[in-house]
Amino acid sequence: MGLPSSSGFYVSRNLALLLAALAVALLLALLVLASLYGHCPSTRPAEPCSRGEPDAAPSPSRGSEEPEPTPRSGPVPEPGATYPSHDRRPSGPWDQLRLPPWIEPLHYDLELWPRLRPGELPEFWLHFTGRVNITVRCVAATARLLLHSLFLKHERPGVRGPLSPGAPGEVAGSVPVHDVWFAEDTQYMVVELGEALRPGALYELQLTFSGPVLQEAREGLFLNVYLDQGERRALIASHMEPTFARNVFPCFDEPALKATFNITIIHHPSFVALSNMPQLGQEERDVNGSKWTVTTFCTTPYMPTYLVALAICDYDQVNRTERGKEIRIWARKDAIANGNADFALNITGPIFSFLEDLFNISYPLPKTDIIALPAFDNRAMENWGLLVFDESLLLLQPSDHLTDKKTLISYIVSHEIGHQWFGNLVTMNWWNNIWLNEGFASYFEFGVINYFNPKLPRHEVFFSNVLHGVLSEDHALISRAVSMKVENFTETSEINELFDVFTYNKGASIARMLFSFLNEDLFISALKSYLEAFSYSNAEQDDLWRHFQMAIDDQSKILLPATIKSIMDSWTHQGGFPVITLNVSTGVMKQEPFYLGKVENQTLLTHNGTWIVPILWMKNGTVQPLVWLNKSSKVFPEMQVSDSDHDWVILNLNMTGYYRVNYDKLGWKKLNQQLERDPKAIPVIHRLQLIDDAFALSRNNYIDIETALDLTKYLAEEDEIIVWHEVLANLLTRDLYSDVKNYDIYPLLKKYLLKRLNSVWNVYASIIRENVGALQDDYLALISLERLFATACGFDLEDCFQLSRELFRKWMNHPENEIPYPIKNVVLCYGIALGSDKEWDFLLNIYTDTAEEEEKIKLAYALSCSRDPWILSRYMDYAITGSPFTFNETNVIEAVAASEVGRYIAKEFLVNNWQAVKKRYGTQSLVTLTYIIGRTISTDPEVMELQQWFSHMLEERQRISVHAKLQKIKNQNIKNKKQSARIIEWLRKNI
């Protein structure tokens, strides 16, 4: 799954069954000590396009004899509705997050019937009914069944069995059900039986249920309402990961509890139904005079519940065949007709083939459907056979030729296809090791794209997209480990929190580091062995390390200082990362945890871990043999440098190690001298590294800011825009540069940077003017240009002003002359800032005619760039009155207040309009405006003045929190001024 936004969890209670089970209290106590489940089935998949029988157990009845679900007329509970449960229950296995190991599911026969009809556009939710027959094996004698169910209404379940393994369909009898109740906190449905199930016997659980299909939440079954061919339409899709299958049907909702699935979808005849497997058959069904279509699908391979997928839609598709297997991309009919899905279709097959060849394991399903949803929260999901994408991450618009969209789509499609092996074929045993899915899928997305685009600078791209972000977030005391202990989890909501930058980006970085100290053949050989051994099953992190160790033991070329488990556990079982410091005079290298804001007295810091660190390095431009730092410090005489001006050392070759590098003063001096003498002798990735590491270390008190600033002296010779992007990102931070024109630093920074910026500016300004199409394949330029242009205009470079005027007016006079996308935000802003009400009114009309929300947000922010007080006042007046324009996508007052001129205009505007602002945007907006307007305060009188000014607008509790926050802003600004003073002194010496 692509890195998602956070999601909430709904607490489910049963509305249908209210009987209290007081008689079972004694039985509950007997089961408190049940251990957690750890099953790892190792079973081959069902034959393609068939309906299988689990271990010879009889499959649930289907066909004409099966009773039809009865339409329900009663109301569906809205989110947050409560179901009755046992208020006073003894402690028991229902208090544990993990299911007890009494039962293992083998097969689900699942039927779902959402009541979606053409032309109906449900405002919030609609109704679905369903039933599921689950074939299970009893592992330990039990008179109680626990399975997951959330936000569903249930009829009384049935239990058939024991089933006869040798004679499908023969049943020895049924097991009486005495009671059903729900454990809300752990989301369990508890079924109390009249007699114990027998170990080794097969049973069939029969459950009938109903629930809502929600529009806002992208969890379980959900609705999308969208526009296509000029009409508003609706579709239904599913998202089960990590724990939302229980929202759709009662199930054993843990990743290790794999089973096969027969899925049936009942839907309106005008819709198409999709699921994991190919369609097996269709029949028409008449229910009270209404025609419905019953679509059945082939049996899935063994898979976890979180991969179950379905969609019901009125879409078109494009298709192709890759190695005999059909690939279809489904999207809005307008999008298909316009060819928006063609790019994704053309890359999907080759990506599948590349990974099949790489791992020598064929994709096991007979087809792949990919569906583009109008709204999926900018995510994608790897469901086996039915991949789900937000359409913004899959469909390529004609206007996207000058964006990074094509590359972005390539990466995300590669990521989700990588999951077909890492996650779908081999699944982690539980969510604590979700990085085995997401980390390796994230790593291989870059390997795939590098294979198809060999000219793409892979190290620089990985740094920009993955490494830079996670190193900025990770540190020793707060960051969590990539692989966590199961017992650390106490609530279901904690599982969803695992889908974060550490699982994806740190996981990918650790996989990349592992690759770097092995070699490609060894790395791929170990992964092949791992994937083959655990196909259709589950694995722990130690299983992966064991297969790497087996590959290492089978050769003698690569020698390691410890086992793979010892090396890699040091990176996955503790948070943070090390700073490696090399003294080039003595050759002494040491490691220490990286802290945010290192302090002299480390006794209060509790991170005592060390890492086994692979050190790839170069000396004077020549790559040196790998060495290992496997303790806190070690001497490497070969890393000492002489007095020669041409002697220098860089650690962490290609930034493949997950750590930062520091040097003693001589080491930094040598590198700075080399940059000023011949910067091209140091590869681009290491020029990036030096800037990123030096400024991060200076911000956190590892080195002086002057050491980092010294590395920028050579920049007049720097022609790589990605390096400039890194320099500007580190130099012009919000802390340093926010309202920088109020400080002495602004003219000095302006003079220093523009002198060095001119060369790279002239190159890209000429390309923009003469041949902007040349940028379409320059990924690093596309992601870097906006910051370059924003800096040039921010420092009043006249040519930047002139280019912004030219591009804005050309577009204004001839809309077909679109502003180049990479610099569109900057050009829009300065087109308004340098223009009059004529330009402002023009852009307002464009805003009004624009339907796409993301584009409207950009335009709304550009409108706030005006420097005319009366225009900004009129803009804010429009916003609070809602006439004639609503500006629903943006808080206009906050946008205006964020600008240099607008801060004062917004403050004055609030004097007479604060109540209207409060009504329009809520009280919290007034709190936020306090912080925005007060962002430069640095004295107590300024804090008091702002508090008094805002006090009558805020509630008492808000005044208290605002005071604390303003004090924090003041203290940070005082700290920033001290840093700024040192930068000012350095700039004066070096201009």
Side-chain angles (χ1 to χ4, degrees), residues 229-284:
Q229 296 182 322
E231 297 179 356
R232 282 172 59 78
R233 299 177 182 176
L235 62 78
I236 289 175
S238 68
H239 179 63
M240 311 297 195
E241 189 183 30
T243 59
F244 306 133
R246 65 193 68 174
N247 295 29
V248 181
F249 59 101
C251 58
F252 298 88
D253 200 10
E254 291 190 4
L257 299 180
K258 290 188 172 184
T260 56
F261 291 79
N262 287 347
I263 295 174
T264 297
I265 301 173
I266 303 176
H267 57 96
H268 194 275
S270 64
F271 292 126
V272 64
L274 303 171
S275 188
N276 303 84
M277 297 298 287
Q279 179 180 309
L280 181 64
Q282 274 190 341
E283 64 180 44
E284 295 302 316

Side-chain angles (χ1 to χ4, degrees), residues 379-483:
R379 293 187 292 182
M381 179 62 202
E382 66 270 14
N383 310 304
W384 236 353
L386 178 54
L387 286 71
V388 180
F389 281 69
D390 191 301
E391 66 176 26
S392 66
L393 304 179
L394 189 71
L395 304 182
L396 192 67
Q397 307 294 334
S399 58
D400 289 334
H401 68 285
L402 266 183
T403 73
D404 60 347
K405 189 70 169 289
K406 188 179 288 188
T407 306
L408 176 66
I409 291 171
S410 300
Y411 279 127
I412 295 175
V413 170
S414 298
H415 179 100
E416 304 307 329
I417 294 176
H419 272 308
Q420 309 308 301
W421 286 265
F422 294 98
N424 298 7
L425 185 66
V426 178
T427 311
M428 74 279 144
N429 201 50
W430 203 67
W431 299 107
N432 61 312
N433 276 317
I434 183 61
W435 88 272
L436 295 176
N437 287 19
E438 300 297 349
F440 279 90
S442 298
Y443 170 73
F444 275 105
E445 73 182 68
F446 289 90
V448 169
I449 300 308
N450 290 334
Y451 174 82
F452 289 106
N453 301 274
K455 292 183 179 179
L456 201 65
R458 66 183 189 277
H459 299 304
E460 291 81 357
V461 170
F462 190 90
F463 169 81
S464 300
N465 288 11
V466 177
L467 194 56
H468 178 271
V470 69
L471 286 176
S472 300
E473 294 285 332
D474 205 2
H475 55 98
L477 288 183
I478 298 177
S479 302
R480 69 169 182 85
V482 169
S483 177

Side-chain angles (χ1 to χ4, degrees), residues 71-87:
R72 298 172 181 268
S73 58
V76 176
E78 294 191 9
T82 58
Y83 296 141
S85 63
H86 282 288
D87 295 326

